[in-house]
Amino acid sequence: MDELIRKAAEGDKQAFSQVVTEYAGAVYNTALRYCKNKEDAEDVSQEVFIKIFRYLPSFKFESSFKTFIYRVTVNTALDFLRKNKVAHEEISENIESAEPGIESKIIVKEREKAVENAISELSEELRDAVVLREYDGLSYAEIAEVLEVKVGTIKSRILRGREKIREKLLSDGTLFGEYESKLAKEEKEVQK
Amino acid sequence: MSCDKFELISAYYDGELSKEDAAAAELHLSSCDECRRFLADITAVSGACTREEVPAGFVDKVMEKLDEPTSLPKKRFKLRFTLVAALIALGMLAASGSFGNLFGLLDKRAADNAESSPYSMIGDSGEKQDLTLDAGNAADGNEPSDDQAQIFNSSPSTLPDVNAGAADSIGAIPPKGEIIGGGTGGSPADAAPADMIYFKAMTKTELLQSPLAEFSPESESGNVMYYRVKTAEMKVIGAELDLPVGEIDEVYGSCLIAVEITGE
């Protein structure tokens, strides 16, 4: 990947196209957690890659490209939110497009939606850490690099974010007896 | 009631613990119902954090946009306006002699070049750079609007002097998105990119009484200290320092303030 990035930094668009392909999912999904609207997330993601292409010539390989790209994504998405003061629209099309009659699928989608909404209600600093952890699977050290804070701070922000999400989901009934269900499942498997 | 081991369990779930700490977490889990419930809940939440497919044709759309000229004229105007405001402020400082020492540090090549266009400046390497300090916009070739030109021409009695002095000063300002060059500006060669770079002249006493007293300089060169400030914090700190912070374009998440110490 480093070689591709170097080529892209020299203006090789073919190489940059491969970089975009590699990171499109990460950038788009991160943007989606902020924009809460697929069209806006796509616009933000495109802007991210245009910025990345422009700034690539000055990218020094002393830091991780992955954290660099996430940093640009988070900053661009936050900037978009501030400029547009986006009223958080709920992403409902997923549920609507789920196959009718498949109840379990709908329950899963409802939970996904509830989690997204709970995350969107977090403060900016908690949301940044939770999104990068839960959707992008970044390590605490990587998140700390992206957000330019200490690893200990990230650990604590992720915990606080999780506690708030959990509290919200328990209060609205989205989470209910996870542990008990898990125990019951394990018991069934043992019986089998 | 929450168990006080939730942070341990959360980090355990994320695989962020050492072997010893992970063993301690497992031991605790074996005896704490509250933590087992917490672990089951955060596992369920994580499971609901699914990723969406990237829209079809996304990569092609990005590649097409790369060929389009940039479409951010408003932002360019604002950034330029910010810089012009900074130039005027620098000119006033220069007129009062506050920047005398700083000018001595800088390459005189800048003064000659500054006369050729108010939209150019000279970097340490001698090449012209866009006054917006935006490396991305510099290449788009857009001409300044009449409004922009008017601003540049609005202080004919001041600007020639400003250019002579401030262009020297600006010559040391690294362009946004590029590594700060060493050269005559004496800036650190390995500095990270910054959203915006500001100049501020003040005495030692003023510095100690300013919000920057809480910060350690990232580097220093002669009597110029470089402070790195997070962009979010810059909006507060910069305002207190009377710097034009209204239009920071956040990309890197930090700004650089070059403070010239003008005396005790």
Side-chain angles (χ1 to χ4, degrees):
Chain A
M1 182 50 70
D2 273 7
E3 190 49 41
L4 271 181
I5 296 164
R6 280 180 212 282
K7 281 185 181 171
E10 288 163 9
D12 182 336
K13 287 189 178 170
Q14 184 61 35
F16 187 66
S17 159
Q18 289 181 59
V19 173
V20 177
T21 305
E22 175 73 21
Y23 286 99
V27 168
Y28 175 69
N29 275 278
T30 303
L32 194 56
R33 306 309 142 202
Y34 290 86
C35 300
K36 302 282 290 168
N37 164 312
K38 291 183 175 182
E39 289 73 32
D40 289 344
E42 187 174 356
D43 287 348
V44 166
S45 304
Q46 287 178 8
E47 192 182 336
V48 167
F49 283 111
I50 289 164
K51 281 182 178 176
I52 296 285
F53 187 69
R54 287 182 180 155
Y55 296 127
L56 261 184
S58 60
F59 178 72
K60 306 293 164 189
F61 287 80
E62 290 151 4
S63 58
S64 149
F65 181 73
K66 184 176 167 188
T67 54
F68 169 70
I69 209 164
Y70 275 111
R71 189 179 306 168
V72 176
T73 307
V74 169
N75 287 338
T76 306
L78 287 175
D79 195 35
F80 172 86
L81 277 188
R82 284 184 203 118
K83 281 177 186 161
N84 293 280
K85 300 252 183 295
V86 174
H88 289 306
E89 295 171 27
E90 295 183 353
I91 299 181
S92 54
E93 61 265 47
N94 290 336
I95 291 177
E96 286 158 13
S97 63
E99 289 172 49
I102 306 179
E103 199 182 333
S104 62
K105 246 188 179 177
I106 291 175
I107 290 168
V108 168
K109 288 291 175 194
E110 272 181 353
R111 178 175 282 183
E112 286 173 4
K113 180 187 148 200
V115 168
E116 284 198 25
N117 290 336
I119 289 175
S120 74
E121 285 172 20
L122 294 175
S123 66
E124 190 175 304
E125 62 178 28
L126 299 188
R127 182 182 51 190
D128 292 347
V130 168
V131 164
L132 293 174
R133 175 65 220 164
E134 298 291 17
Y135 288 96
D136 300 305
L138 265 58
S139 70
Y140 288 5
E142 286 172 331
I143 299 170
E145 202 181 324
V146 171
L147 302 179
E148 295 180 309
V149 294
K150 291 177 180 166
V151 172
T153 307
I154 294 303
K155 187 177 176 185
S156 144
R157 285 183 188 177
I158 288 174
L159 171 67
R160 281 190 288 142
R162 281 178 170 157
E163 285 181 321
K164 282 184 184 294
I165 294 166
R166 180 181 186 232
E167 198 179 312
K168 166 110 174 92
L169 299 185
L170 284 172
S171 72
D172 69 14
T174 304
L175 281 179
F176 179 71
E178 298 303 316
Y179 176 55
E180 284 72 13
S181 312
K182 191 173 164 245
L183 279 185
K185 261 187 196 170
E186 282 170 2
E187 213 167 277
K188 266 187 184 175
E189 277 172 23
V190 169
Q191 282 171 359
K192 278 181 189 173
Chain B
M1 273 270 294
S2 296
C3 175
D4 64 3
K5 299 285 186 201
F6 275 8
E7 186 167 287
L8 180 77
I9 302 306
S10 172
Y12 169 74
Y13 174 72
D14 288 329
E16 293 277 348
L17 295 180
S18 65
K19 251 187 180 177
E20 295 73 26
D21 288 343
E26 281 166 9
L27 186 64
H28 176 75
L29 278 167
S30 67
S31 62
C32 178
D33 265 355
E34 188 56 36
C35 279
R36 282 198 292 267
R37 283 197 181 87
F38 177 67
L39 180 61
D41 287 346
I42 65 174
T43 304
V45 168
S46 279
C49 293
T50 54
R51 292 175 73 149
E52 300 268 336
E53 287 292 319
V54 176
F58 176 79
V59 178
D60 291 339
K61 283 184 200 166
V62 170
M63 299 313 291
E64 278 168 24
K65 283 208 169 180
L66 286 184
D67 296 325
E68 289 174 9
T70 186
S71 56
L72 299 169
K74 195 178 171 194
K75 189 179 276 184
R76 286 165 55 79
F77 169 76
K78 284 178 179 171
L79 282 171
R80 281 189 172 138
F81 183 81
T82 302
L83 260 293
V84 171
L87 273 174
I88 291 168
L90 282 166
M92 290 167 73
L93 286 168
S96 68
S98 305
F99 269 89
N101 293 335
L102 181 58
F103 295 161
L105 291 170
L106 305 171
D107 190 340
K108 291 295 176 194
R109 284 173 304 172
D112 299 334
N113 203 285
E115 289 170 9
S116 64
S117 163
Y119 297 94
S120 314
M121 65 180 187
I122 294 288
D124 291 331
S125 59
E127 77 280 18
K128 280 187 187 182
Q129 290 154 354
D130 192 286
L131 268 181
T132 59
L133 303 190
D134 185 332
N137 285 345
D140 65 14
N142 283 357
E143 287 303 314
S145 68
D146 290 345
D147 285 348
Q148 290 163 347
Q150 196 175 356
I151 286 166
F152 277 105
N153 295 326
S154 62
S155 311
S157 60
T158 317
L159 273 179
D161 287 335
V162 172
N163 281 343
D168 271 359
S169 310
I170 295 291
I173 300 178
K176 173 180 162 185
E178 289 186 15
I179 292 300
I180 300 170
T184 51
S187 307
D190 58 348
D195 279 331
M196 287 287 275
I197 299 98
Y198 296 91
F199 267 111
K200 182 79 185 172
M202 57 175 94
T203 63
K204 267 187 191 170
T205 312
E206 286 168 339
L207 177 62
L208 288 174
Q209 288 169 351
S210 80
L212 290 175
E214 303 288 322
F215 290 73
S216 300
E218 184 177 87
S219 61
E220 56 183 283
S221 169
N223 57 343
V224 181
M225 324 270 273
Y226 294 86
Y227 290 86
R228 187 169 291 277
V229 178
K230 281 185 192 168
T231 302
E233 291 171 341
M234 184 67 199
K235 286 173 182 168
V236 178
I237 291 165
E240 284 182 42
L241 291 172
D242 205 20
L243 293 170
V245 292
E247 292 298 338
I248 301 171
D249 179 26
E250 294 175 53
V251 174
Y252 293 106
S254 70
C255 295
L256 209 57
I257 307 177
V259 177
E260 187 212 6
I261 307 295
T262 55
E264 292 300 317

